[in-house]
Amino acid sequence: MARDLETALLRSFVTAVRAGSISRAATALGHTQPALSQQLRKLERVVGRPLLYRSPSGVSPTRAGEELLPYAERILSLSAQALTETGRALTGHCVVGLLEDLAASQLPQALADLARLHPGATLEVLSFSTAAMREAYDAGRVQLVLDAVPDVPGPPRWTVRRPLVWAIGQGVDVAADPLPVVLFSNPCSWRTSVLETLERADRRWRVTFESNSLVGVLAAVRAGLGVAALMPANLEPVMACHDADALPTLPDVELGLARHPRTEGDPLIDAVETALRRMI
């Protein structure tokens, strides 16, 4: 008998990974915690492999979970888009400005899927510096911007909080004193909060590498230069920290979406905003 991946089970899994906690995911979905745990176990039986590491402090994806996550997110996105957009023909051009950490996630794929549903529409994704993004937004060259709230170029239409996780370089001793840390260069909206978290936990630290790009930070972690704070979608399985008590819990990142006021009522921009909100 063929095995099917039920969207309800995938939604439970994706929500648990994003929330980092079964209890928070259950609240978000309106389920009880036992009911959500049962759905997650059912999905693991279908896949045939454990998908989540469970600990008193929360959950994180296993290697199999990391492999399933992008497929699950895309299936859910396509399902929502098919229900919403079937029968509508959208045209025009939409430029979306994304925080680099989000541009490296599944969001561009969701937008590509939306464009495939509407051959008459053209979607473009850009990642600029904060100053360049603000200039492009003010000039009307970028219609939507999804970024950390302090860097959003206009009043956010909506905001959402997402967790940060530790990425551990190969061979790095997380008990080292001082702790070797890989950071995003200033300006970075969560750099200060990450360092303040270490100081509140009485952890001494030293900066071993800085970069203004996600590519650079990931390369440094892969090279074993230290630990870094990343969004879960950018965490490579070999970098996962499986000891919840080894490092202090990182603060959430608050993301916000700004939409250029001249785009109100544009059905293509409406559809892109909806797709972004569903994925986030």
Side-chain angles (χ1 to χ4, degrees), residues 24 33 80 96 106 173 181-182 191 211 238 251 258 273 278:
R24 288 197 294 268
Q33 188 170 335
V96 181
Q106 292 301 303
D173 179 8
V181 180
V182 176
R191 173 190 171 114
S211 177
V238 295
E273 180 182 350
R278 283 175 175 153

Side-chain angles (χ1 to χ4, degrees), residues 69-71 73-74 102-111 113 233 279:
L69 185 60
Y71 293 105
E73 290 178 327
R74 189 175 182 192
L102 296 173
S105 70
Q106 292 301 303
L107 286 178
Q109 182 64 64
L111 297 178
D113 290 335
M279 282 296 291

